[in-house]
Amino acid sequence: MPELSDPDEEEEDDEEQWQWMEEENQPVTCLFCDRLLSSVSATLQHCTAEHQLNLIDLIRKHNLDDYGYIKMINFIRSTNCDASGLMGLPDGSLPWDSEAFLRPVLQDDPLLQTDPEELCGQEGSLHQSSRSESHDALLQRTQAAEERAQRSEEALARAMEDLHKLKLLAQGLVLNAEPGRSGNLSAVAELREDEDEAYFDSYGHYGIHEEMLKDKVRTESYRDFMYRNPEVFRDKVVLDVGCGTGILSMFAAKAGAKKVIAVDQSEIIYQAMDIVRSNQLEDKITLIKGRIEDINLPVEKVDIIISEWMGYFLLFESMLDSVLYARDLYLADGGSVYPDLCNISLAAAGDMQRHQERIAFWDNVYGFNMACMKKAVVPEAVVEVVKAETLISEPTVIQTIDCNRVCLSELEFVSDFCLKIKDTTDCTVMFSTGPQVMKTHWKQTVFLLEKPLSVQAGEELQGKITVRKNKKDPRSLLVTFDLRDRKQTYSLQ
């Protein structure tokens, strides 16, 4: 007696099969142009016909596994590389070997959801044979794929941890082996990507880039230097560390650079890619997403490194560490880092109104004594614009940094200082960077004294400043002042 099928089960089977067929036919953006194709199969055929690149042949040539295939797709999408150069790549180290290319460039990219083994086994027809398979076979394939994916994720987690350890070891060996190099990895370079995520996420927001671009002192200084010195950049290979929107890279390209490699780990780099294309500079500028410590550049050496690495108090955020890493690994002999020379200056101010608002305020808050709050408030350095009229001393330079020669160890320092007092008053503030010129987005870093110091005109106020990284967070700073009989440590974080 024939068995009767359950109509509800048949309906569910039909829905699952239609859902699978819909997934197979998701629209796909071409790897080499803006063309939107109807499916993965159509995309592969388009790449072969229009761009003369057979991706299946490329997978076979380099024997790419799942990870290698994923890295290749993301590398092509992130670097806008030319199809003609891919088939000519030699065996061995590939430009997409960096784990940075495991992160998808396009969300829900159908090409990343395709098994390279299945692509190679289907010999051009690709999805035609898959659609003719029975529903049971499709379910088996799906289950097998899920199991492979789970095993792969577990293996990837273990491999990433091992790779991170090996990377640190290899970097240390390379830097120690090259004469004239600093020989030490910075604490920033030793951070894993997940440990450094918050820092780069902060630069994924558009507001901070708008603020920096609108800082005319900052942006026009870089522009004028490059445009007025075209002989420095003509036919050179330039590396832009922390490129943001790509403004410095575009200045360098316009100044005559032969090739510019722009690197940034934050999400803003996707906008930078669009900006570069919008200005028809994609033939000169290659953008790479990732930390400079984690990626491999498509060239062995560069002639120039440019970067806007300066933070509050110059060294906050420790981005200079990354620039020095790039310098030691990639800068050619005779090359240069720009900016090349930087100073940190210190001055004294007498601003009793600001001291009252920030410190003395806690002595009487609506009739209550909250003076204990000063222990928490005073150690926090403040970033704000200092009024020029509150200056009571001449500024003095406490540290000069030559970006072409400085070692990592020199970014932590102790310096004696002497401030020549101009007015008889109470000193309430020590601060860095000058307020006498047009204000910048860096403003001034202010260290408020818990108790004002009485000073006399003509007096030389002597002290010592110690600057070191916070071991718990190497991107933040600890600054200690020894002033007369007082000692106070401030944090920038």
Side-chain angles (χ1 to χ4, degrees):
M1 182 176 179
E3 294 183 0
L4 297 176
S5 60
D6 187 336
D8 290 336
E9 289 184 2
E10 288 185 355
E11 184 176 352
E12 289 178 3
D13 290 346
D14 289 343
E15 287 179 357
E16 289 179 5
Q17 188 160 0
W18 279 110
Q19 183 179 5
W20 177 83
M21 293 178 68
E22 287 174 1
E23 289 174 355
E24 288 291 308
N25 286 279
Q26 289 180 343
V28 185
T29 302
C30 174
L31 291 166
F32 304 104
C33 65
D34 295 330
R35 180 87 176 269
L36 192 65
L37 289 308
S38 60
S39 66
V40 171
S41 175
T43 303
L44 297 182
Q45 294 170 6
H46 167 80
C47 287
T48 302
E50 298 296 328
H51 302 290
Q52 290 74 52
L53 178 69
N54 188 317
L55 283 173
I56 294 177
D57 288 347
L58 191 60
I59 294 169
R60 287 174 174 162
K61 176 181 178 181
H62 298 292
N63 195 26
L64 298 181
D65 58 10
D66 290 352
Y67 302 130
Y69 168 76
I70 290 171
K71 290 179 181 179
M72 178 188 71
I73 297 298
N74 289 326
F75 169 80
I76 295 172
R77 291 206 186 279
S78 64
T79 61
N80 301 313
C81 63
D82 187 61
S84 61
L86 290 176
M87 285 305 294
L89 290 173
D91 295 333
S93 179
L94 296 169
W96 54 78
D97 279 346
S98 170
E99 63 267 28
F101 294 114
L102 286 171
R103 178 169 292 185
V105 175
L106 295 182
Q107 294 298 319
D108 301 322
D109 189 343
L111 285 175
L112 298 182
Q113 300 168 17
T114 304
D115 189 334
E117 291 182 6
E118 294 177 5
L119 286 181
C120 294
Q122 289 170 355
E123 295 292 341
S125 60
L126 296 169
H127 298 293
Q128 295 301 319
S129 60
S130 298
R131 293 177 181 173
S132 63
E133 290 180 332
S134 67
H135 181 60
D136 289 342
L138 291 175
L139 286 178
Q140 290 176 1
R141 287 180 57 207
T142 301
Q143 291 170 355
E146 289 176 350
E147 291 173 0
R148 281 202 311 272
Q150 184 175 356
R151 290 195 300 269
S152 298
E153 287 178 1
E154 293 170 353
L156 177 61
R158 293 192 299 270
M160 291 288 281
E161 183 64 29
D162 291 342
L163 186 62
H164 178 71
K165 294 176 182 177
L166 286 172
K167 175 176 72 71
L168 296 179
L169 176 61
Q171 288 170 342
L173 290 173
V174 169
L175 294 176
N176 280 315
E178 294 190 27
R181 300 311 190 189
S182 59
N184 292 312
L185 285 174
S186 73
V188 169
E190 293 179 354
L191 289 173
R192 295 195 309 272
E193 185 175 324
D194 59 325
E195 294 175 320
D196 219 10
E197 188 175 1
Y199 167 69
F200 288 105
D201 282 350
S202 69
Y203 282 93
H205 302 289
Y206 306 135
I208 192 169
H209 294 281
E210 180 181 351
E211 181 184 12
M212 290 189 292
L213 289 169
K214 288 181 176 178
D215 184 339
K216 297 185 70 174
V217 174
R218 163 199 180 267
T219 308
E220 291 182 2
S221 294
Y222 279 93
R223 181 200 64 188
D224 293 347
F225 165 69
M226 288 189 247
Y227 285 4
R228 292 172 183 173
N229 297 277
E231 69 282 356
V232 174
F233 290 86
R234 188 175 298 117
D235 297 327
K236 295 296 195 298
V237 178
V238 178
L239 171 62
D240 182 358
V241 179
C243 65
T245 57
I247 186 68
L248 301 190
S249 295
M250 292 189 290
F251 286 157
K254 290 289 188 181
K258 175 175 63 177
K259 183 178 183 65
V260 183
I261 302 166
V263 178
D264 204 304
Q265 167 66 352
S266 72
E267 300 295 308
I268 194 67
I269 198 167
Y270 297 124
Q271 278 66 45
M273 292 175 182
D274 291 336
I275 291 169
V276 166
R277 281 193 292 266
S278 297
N279 289 277
Q280 293 82 49
L281 289 171
E282 62 269 29
D283 59 328
K284 285 192 174 183
I285 301 175
T286 298
L287 296 111
I288 301 176
K289 187 178 189 302
R291 297 196 316 166
I292 191 67
E293 295 88 351
D294 298 332
I295 64 171
N296 294 316
L297 295 188
V299 297
E300 287 189 5
K301 295 294 180 181
V302 299
D303 303 302
I304 293 172
I305 296 176
I306 55 173
S307 180
E308 197 280 81
W309 55 264
M310 292 81 77
Y312 303 134
F313 195 72
L314 191 65
L315 297 176
F316 177 60
E317 294 184 332
S318 295
M319 188 176 166
L320 180 55
D321 294 32
S322 297
V323 174
L324 299 187
Y325 174 89
R327 179 200 69 185
D328 290 350
L329 203 58
Y330 294 114
L331 190 63
D333 292 340
S336 188
V337 179
Y338 297 109
D340 50 354
L341 288 175
C342 304
N343 291 329
I344 302 176
S345 297
L346 189 69
D351 190 345
M352 290 304 297
Q353 179 181 353
R354 188 71 184 101
H355 189 272
Q356 172 64 40
E357 293 170 350
R358 178 80 180 176
I359 306 299
F361 162 79
W362 297 103
D363 291 331
N364 186 338
V365 182
Y366 298 103
F368 296 98
N369 183 349
M370 296 189 182
C372 59
M373 284 291 294
K374 294 180 184 180
K375 294 181 180 179
V377 173
V378 171
E380 290 185 356
V382 183
V383 177
E384 62 186 14
V385 176
V386 175
K387 299 175 183 176
E389 59 269 22
T390 65
L391 275 176
I392 62 171
S393 81
E394 297 291 341
T396 185
V397 174
I398 58 169
Q399 184 74 339
T400 297
I401 295 175
D402 183 341
C403 296
N404 286 296
R405 293 179 174 82
V406 69
C407 296
L408 281 170
S409 59
E410 294 173 323
L411 302 185
E412 296 183 286
F413 60 89
V414 178
S415 176
D416 294 321
F417 63 84
C418 179
L419 299 175
K420 296 181 179 179
I421 302 299
K422 300 188 296 182
D423 302 302
T424 300
T425 183
D426 288 327
C427 175
T428 62
V429 175
M430 311 295 290
F431 67 89
S432 70
T433 74
Q436 302 97 329
V437 295
M438 186 184 298
K439 69 177 182 179
T440 69
H441 78 282
W442 291 292
K443 304 176 184 176
Q444 285 84 46
T445 303
V446 175
F447 307 96
L448 288 158
L449 304 179
E450 182 174 358
K451 296 179 180 179
L453 284 174
S454 295
V455 292
Q456 303 293 319
E459 176 185 349
E460 292 186 345
L461 182 61
Q462 297 183 348
K464 181 173 71 175
I465 183 172
T466 304
V467 178
R468 65 188 190 278
K469 291 184 173 116
N470 188 336
K471 292 182 179 179
K472 295 180 179 179
D473 176 11
R475 292 199 180 276
S476 63
L477 292 176
L478 296 175
V479 181
T480 301
F481 282 95
D482 287 280
L483 200 60
R484 290 186 179 170
D485 57 346
R486 306 181 191 181
K487 185 172 185 176
Q488 177 66 56
T489 297
Y490 301 83
S491 64
L492 261 169
Q493 56 188 5

